[in-house]
Structure formats: structure tokens, C-alpha cells
Amino acid sequence: MNLSTNPSRSTWRKIADSRLINALAAPNGMGRYLEALNPMWSLDQNRIPAYITAIHRETSDSVTLELSPNGDWPGFRSGQFCQLYIEINGRLHSRSYSLNRRAGHLAITVKAQADGLVSKHINSKLNVGDIIRLSPPMGDFVLPVQLPDAMLMIAAGSGITPIMAMVEAALKKGYQGGITLLYYNRSEADTIFIKRLQELASANQHFSLLPVFSDGSSELSGHFNQHHLLKALSFQNTLSAHTAAVSLPECFVCGPESLIQAVSEEYKQFGHAEKFHAERFKPVINVSGNTEVVGKLAFKSSQCEVSSDNRNLLEQAEAAGLQPQAGCRMGICHSCSCLKTEGSVRNMNSGEISHGEEYIRLCISQPLGDVSLAI
Ligand SMILES: Cc1cc2nc3c(=O)[nH]c(=O)nc-3n(C[C@H](O)[C@H](O)[C@H](O)COP(=O)(O)OP(=O)(O)OC[C@H]3O[C@@H](n4cnc5c(N)ncnc54)[C@H](O)[C@@H]3O)c2cc1C
Ligand code: FES
């Protein structure tokens, strides 16, 4: 029985959705029985099972997993990410990973973070044949449908993953503009996709690679600065003799906050803030965590009440022993959306305060006084 193709999956879904079958399969539903027979037959479209078909070591601390999801996988736009769900020591964890293609397969590339639970597990414990689960793709940091005349890509470390997907997709489409990639790493050996990027650059006159290694082995050195920007632009002929006349290309940045801020400042300074696009892998908390918070936090469905503090509601729920769904933990993926039935919260990214019944993202909400949540 093959459930991996769309036609047979839709037939199974119709059967599973029928009232009679659901009544016979109660209380778990047909989908659960299929999943018990073979995890790849799951009908859960929010946690789509995917086989690991190959594992490639990229650097000493990063790997690429080639994946074969079941027929529910909807495809993705270059630059998007998904939530990866994985069980570690009996507990389900979820993290965001950018989507890519490798040898025609869906792929993700994961850099092991020091003390990182999921990224280290993926780097050292997974094997070909293991099954992980993926959410449908999400995110609007994507390659534009109408490609601009020139693009400047800037990445550091694992921030290359969405950028690589965009560069490869643009070149595959036969892009005739210029793409320059400024790419920051400690050394060549630490650089994810370095061989593929070098090959792309030598095979394609529309793509220039400017690596910046902090070990001093590259032409450019140090952190991003205006000199790096002007050097990158000189590859695209968008630079006139006087820097005031620079027409900046559409820019896509993914890396640490300091890099994102530095590039954003340059784009603002040259009056091209609208051409600047960034993706963050780590949250930026703008609101001071020192706000004194006194109150009660009630989790209604779990029939649990605790004294609240100034951490975000996701951390407080977890500290209270709950296991709410979560993904990016920075307000992007909406996995942690939850109904607040009473009370006021502060959005820790924008500082905005809101009151009463509403859906909030737990990971970026700080309680102000008594708060009740539906979970
Ligand atoms: C939209 C999006 C796309 C992402 N795409 C990728 C990707 O393609 N490849 C990839 O490797 N990662 C990616 N990430 C980061 C990834 O989701 C995890 O945060 C990362 O793998 C660390 O998870 P962990 O469980 O190992 O660390 P945790 O156990 O959650 O954290 C452990 C420690 O690591 C620090 N930490 C967490 N994340 C990072 C980070 N990104 N950089 C530096 N320190 C960190 C934490 O502050 C903490 O001190 C993405 C994140 C987002 C939001
Ligand atoms: S965990 Fe992604 S928005 Fe909260």
C-alpha cells in the first residue's frame, strides 16, 4: 500500500473524513490508526512526516539533512522556513529551520549551537531512515516573484541557509541581473556551503562571492562596514564615482543582530531603507526585562495558577510544567498563539500593551498584572 502520492492520499483523506469511518475509529480517528501502521501515512498536515534520505556534513559543526516528506508536503518559496518537530528524551521539541533543495530533495542545514539542545541532537544523533516532522512552510523573507535588477545578499554563519536557497533559485531561473554575496565566517573551514558557492561563482558570471574570514585569510576583513558595502557594489556596476550617487540594490540579510543593524544603518543612510530585508534566527527583545510585574497567571484548561514574573508567558507556562506548542520563540511562526481570556500583556517586540480577550503569542508577551490563558 503506497500512501506517498497525492491521489491515494486524497482518497485516504476522504475515507478518514467520512462519518462512518470516524465513528468506527473513535476515539482516535482513522488518521491515528494509519499513523500507527506507518508514521509516513500520517494525515496530519501540520506535522508532515519526512524520511531522512541522506546526511551530509558541511563543516565540523553543521550538517545537511536531505528529506523525503510524504505527499502532503506543499512545496515552499525560496527563503521560507518551517518548524521541525523532533522527540528528544520523550519530549517533543520544535525549532525553525530554513528550507533548501539538495540534489532535487528537500533539505535543511543545521549548525550545532553551543549548549543547543535540538541543533546538537540533529548534528550528532540522527541517522538515514529516521523520521522527523515538518510544519508547512512559512515566512515572507523570500525571493521576490519579480526579480530586481541587482541583489546584494549578506549572510553570516548559519544565516546562509535562506540566502543560499534564494541565490540558487534565482540562478536556476536564468537570472540576468547581478547577485553579490558578502559572507562572514571565522575561516574557510567553518563556512557552510563554501564549495557549492565557489562552484556557482566560477560557473556563473551573474554571481559574485565575497567571503570575509575573521582569521585574516580573505581579502576583506573585520565586521561589515561601508568599505565592504562599496566593495560589494563595485561588482555590480551600481556604484558611481561619488558615493552619494550610489543606487543600492535590493538587499537580503540573515545573521546576528549586530550585522543586521549595521547593514540597515547603511541602507537608511543612503535613503534606501525600503530595499532592505532581514531574517533573524534569534529574538530581539526591545522591552526592558526589568519591568516589575506582580500578579497571578491562570492556565484555565490545565487548572493551574502561579505567581507571574517578568519573563515571557511561554517561559512561565513551561516553568509551571505546561508544554504549550512553540517554534521560533521570537514572535515569527505563531506556533505559540493562545487565547488570553482576561488581563493585559505587553508585546515584548513592539512595546504595545493590549487588554482583554484576544489571541496572543506567548513567546513575546509579558504579563502586566493578573492574566488568564485558555491553555
Ligand atoms: C526563521 C528561522 C530560521 C532558522 N533557520 C535556521 C537554519 O536554517 N539553520 C540553523 O542552524 N538554525 C536556524 N534557525 C535557528 C534554530 O531555529 C534554532 O534556534 C537553533 O538551531 C538553536 O536551537 P537549539 O535547540 O540547539 O538551541 P536552544 O537549546 O534553544 O538554545 C541554546 C543556546 O543557544 C543559543 N542560540 C539559539 N539559537 C541560536 C542561534 N541561531 N545562534 C546563536 N545562538 C543561538 C541560545 O541563546 C541559547 O543560549 C532558525 C531560526 C529562525 C527563527
Ligand atoms: S514560538 Fe513562534 S511565535 Fe511564538
Side-chain angles (χ1 to χ4, degrees), residues 223-224 255-264:
H223 295 298
F224 173 87
E257 191 56 27
S258 52
L259 175 68
I260 292 175
Q261 284 307 325
V263 182
S264 164

Side-chain angles (χ1 to χ4, degrees), residues 314 324-328 331-340 358-365 373-375:
L314 179 59
Q325 280 212 12
C328 65
I332 294 179
C333 70
H334 291 258
S335 309
C336 65
S337 275
C338 163
L339 182 67
K340 165 165 69 69
E358 60 177 343
Y359 277 92
I360 55 167
R361 282 163 287 168
L362 297 177
C363 66
I364 54 161
S365 298
L373 299 172
I375 50 172

